[in-house]
Amino acid sequence: MKILMAAPECVPLAKTGGLGDVVGALAPALSRLGNEVAVVLPAYQNILEKFPLEQTGIELEVELGGRRVAGTVLKTAGDGGAPVYLIRRDEYFRRPELYGTPRGDYPDNAERFAFFSKAVLQLAERTGPWEAIHCHDWQSALIPVLQKIGGNTAAARGAKIILTIHNLAHQGTFPFSDWELLDLDARYFTPKYLEFYGQVNVLKGGILFADALTTVSRKYAREILTPEYGCGLEGVLGGREKDLHGILNGVDYREWNPASDPLIKKQYSASDLRGKAECKSDIQQLYGLPLKASAPLLGIVSRLAAQKGLDIFLEIIEDLLRMDLQIVILGSGEEKYQKLVAKLPAGHVEKIGVKIGFDNALAHKIEAGADMFLMPSRFEPCGLNQIYSLKYGTAPVVRATGGLDDTIEDYDPLAGTGNGFKFVDYTGPAFLGAIKRALSVYVNKKAWKQVIANGMKSDFSWEKSAKEYLELYRRVAGAPVK
Ligand code: ADP
Ligand code: GLC
């Protein structure tokens, strides 16, 4: 099939979270399955500065709020035969961050991503025909809206549009003053369409107009139909339930595998874990913690946002610091959480180390060096770090929500089954209870080996998920399903 992937992130070019990992691995996985795949991204500053780019000669001009706004298209090789087109307009995308700073979003995000979406459709017309356009999150959710009700995009009409919701909490809601940027008929600014409590809701539009919807785990696909997880869109999603599919994210084991990871101190595998001990002392050293092999080391790598369960972590931190363990944290995100987390080591430097920032190499080192990985998320559409942890022999302690619940099986000491530790209620005591359970297994070397072995043998490689996407594209496009 001919598949165009329109996304706001794609590793190694641009990443703030798991969406970047997913697009960066799914595109080459689909091309390995014999499809013609290309990715389209905004030409962010980091990409312009660090990657080899070629001119395509394609110039675009889109209508944006009655104005004509121009852009150009660059291209870079991409991974595994899936080239990446880059929509360039420096006024919008040549900035230090993708969406905003720790203080908040860029104020012109509606304009930036309306431009991007319109440019993608125009690019699709020039480079197509494409059978499927696969969009990701609110930043590209206007594409199905514009294709269906935006007029003058005739050539891209042949393409079926699939929208993946990686995170329902980010909907792209903007004040009514941004409505004119979409150049849509006023009758679509009503509760039946894109209006949402007086605002423009871009994701809502995408949910209504995409040909098929997916989200990144089966459990989250069910959860978002409920008021607890639906973020106000549960009704709209309910109206499209039969077109909504849960497809679990995979892992790119070329990047996340302790046996070949060049970013960690010493490679290791399930059959020989000696390197893991070296990775542990490496991370203790990097964080200035005492080099104690026996102290359980708890790791966190996270966007610092309410979603990630930081409030219940902060609630139990005093209890944790009274125990014989060590904690390392790597995170960046909202200023409020950055400040709270940065303060934690004060008075406890022998127990806890914190680094605020985005550091891919350090994320790998923590996965390898820690004994346990904490993900107490309030909600988690899929979550990738717990799946990486499994491969690195680092037992995940997770809340049983979304993809965390689908990928982690609670350890059962009698049966010897399970690959981690789960808790259900979103409370400090429930989280603490799961950590204590993990610690009690940790001291039993044989049992701990079992937990780790169970995790390390699990296989979440992309091929299976890529095939599920392909089957969906075929079904939606009316092509024969193989
Ligand atoms: P989300 O997309 O909600 O942030 P995921 O678990 O799906 O959560 O993916 C997070 C990805 O981002 C992982 O690859 C993780 O290693 C990475 N990551 C998150 N925070 C940081 C950070 N501060 N530095 C480096 N990598 C990070
Ligand atoms: C989102 C979700 C995360 C998911 C990732 C990739 O950022 O928060 O759970 O793993 O997207 O799909």
Side-chain angles (χ1 to χ4, degrees):
M1 288 192 84
K2 281 194 65 158
I3 304 149
L4 185 65
M5 190 80 62
E9 301 183 21
C10 174
V11 290
L13 301 161
K15 162 170 167 177
T16 66
L19 190 162
D21 291 336
V22 168
V23 175
L26 175 59
L30 287 165
S31 86
R32 280 197 297 277
L33 291 172
N35 301 285
E36 186 182 335
V37 187
V39 179
V40 199
L41 287 186
Y44 300 113
Q45 177 171 317
N46 175 60
I47 307 178
L48 293 172
E49 288 172 359
K50 301 210 181 111
F51 291 87
L53 307 171
E54 58 182 89
Q55 299 288 344
T56 61
I58 302 176
E59 298 195 352
L60 305 171
E61 196 180 62
V62 304
E63 188 184 343
L64 204 61
R67 288 178 301 141
R68 306 292 303 176
V69 180
T72 55
V73 182
L74 301 168
K75 200 172 172 183
T76 186
D79 184 13
V84 181
Y85 290 107
L86 300 153
I87 307 285
R88 178 165 194 181
R89 184 170 170 87
D90 289 353
E91 170 200 345
Y92 291 145
F93 302 122
R94 193 169 197 145
R95 301 185 189 179
E97 307 290 339
L98 272 51
Y99 318 127
T101 68
R103 300 229 157 147
D105 290 343
Y106 290 134
D108 58 349
N109 274 349
E111 185 172 341
R112 298 171 77 223
F113 289 99
F115 172 78
F116 175 67
S117 301
K118 290 181 175 198
V120 169
L121 279 171
Q122 221 176 82
L123 180 69
E125 289 180 31
R126 304 270 194 96
T127 53
W130 298 92
E131 293 167 273
I133 302 180
H134 187 166
C135 305
H136 298 264
D137 272 0
W138 77 264
Q139 293 90 337
S140 48
L142 276 175
I143 293 171
V145 178
L146 296 164
Q147 187 214 35
K148 299 284 189 318
I149 60 172
N152 82 11
T153 47
R157 275 203 200 288
K160 294 295 177 186
I161 302 204
I162 293 86
L163 172 64
T164 294
I165 300 167
H166 293 264
N167 196 330
L168 195 59
H170 301 288
Q171 299 179 2
T173 46
F174 299 101
F176 174 64
S177 53
D178 283 332
W179 173 251
E180 62 168 26
L181 293 168
L182 312 188
D183 303 287
L184 295 174
D185 194 290
R187 74 192 163 97
Y188 294 111
F189 189 74
T190 54
K192 194 173 166 205
Y193 295 106
L194 275 76
E195 191 266 356
F196 188 71
Y197 298 99
Q199 295 203 301
V200 184
N201 187 319
V202 168
L203 188 67
K204 182 183 175 194
I207 292 169
L208 289 166
F209 288 105
D211 296 296
L213 302 167
T214 73
T215 185
V216 288
S217 67
R218 289 201 207 300
K219 175 123 191 212
Y220 192 63
R222 293 195 302 275
E223 286 174 339
I224 56 178
L225 298 173
T226 68
E228 189 187 351
Y229 288 96
C231 302
L233 291 180
E234 59 276 8
V236 182
L237 284 160
R240 301 229 44 200
E241 193 175 349
K242 70 172 182 21
D243 300 312
L244 171 65
H245 309 268
I247 301 180
L248 193 70
N249 287 333
V251 170
D252 192 341
Y253 288 122
R254 293 171 307 171
E255 205 202 331
W256 294 93
N257 181 353
S260 54
D261 189 337
L263 299 170
I264 62 177
K265 182 83 183 172
K266 183 84 207 243
Q267 287 76 38
Y268 59 91
S269 64
S271 58
D272 182 359
L273 283 166
R274 278 173 302 178
K276 187 163 175 67
E278 272 189 55
C279 292
K280 180 169 176 177
S281 54
D282 182 44
I283 205 78
Q284 287 169 325
Q285 205 158 8
L286 284 169
Y287 275 90
L289 297 169
L291 300 182
K292 274 169 72 177
S294 62
L297 180 61
L298 282 51
I300 294 183
V301 178
S302 183
R303 279 189 297 115
L304 299 178
Q307 169 192 350
K308 300 295 176 181
L310 294 161
D311 43 359
I312 60 172
F313 172 70
L314 295 170
E315 189 185 320
I316 63 165
I317 190 74
E318 292 299 326
D319 297 279
L320 293 178
L321 292 172
R322 276 193 290 274
M323 299 181 204
D324 181 23
L325 49 73
Q326 298 177 336
I327 303 170
V328 292
I329 302 179
L330 168 64
S332 61
E334 290 170 33
E335 192 173 52
K336 170 180 119 184
Y337 289 113
Q338 290 195 168
K339 283 190 174 149
L340 285 168
V341 171
K343 281 205 301 231
L344 293 177
H348 304 283
V349 287
E350 78 296 349
K351 285 270 174 79
I352 178 165
V354 169
K355 298 216 192 272
I356 300 295
F358 196 91
D359 184 339
N360 183 49
L362 189 56
H364 282 246
K365 289 180 203 294
I366 293 176
E367 285 291 3
D371 296 299
M372 294 163 204
F373 196 92
L374 308 182
M375 289 182 78
S377 305
R378 186 186 281 277
F379 66 94
E380 196 62 75
C382 177
L384 293 172
N385 278 113
Q386 82 283 8
I387 317 183
Y388 302 155
S389 299
L390 293 174
K391 197 68 178 175
Y392 282 77
T394 304
V397 180
V398 307
R399 177 155 179 260
T401 183
L404 296 173
D405 200 26
D406 283 355
T407 53
I408 303 306
E409 187 194 342
D410 209 19
Y411 178 65
D412 176 344
L414 291 178
T417 54
N419 55 14
F421 301 87
K422 284 206 276 204
F423 64 99
V424 174
D425 295 338
Y426 187 75
T427 64
F431 183 23
L432 188 61
I435 295 177
K436 284 184 173 164
R437 257 189 314 121
L439 292 170
S440 72
V441 177
Y442 182 77
V443 291
N444 177 342
K445 292 291 168 230
K446 200 168 148 224
W448 192 252
K449 254 190 156 157
Q450 180 77 67
V451 182
I452 284 180
N454 292 347
M456 289 183 94
K457 70 170 184 253
S458 53
D459 180 7
F460 290 93
S461 46
W462 259 109
E463 204 191 336
K464 182 167 172 281
S465 304
K467 281 185 180 151
E468 283 184 56
Y469 278 111
L470 192 57
E471 206 173 292
L472 178 65
Y473 303 150
R474 283 195 208 284
R475 227 181 308 144
V476 181
V481 178
K482 283 188 187 159

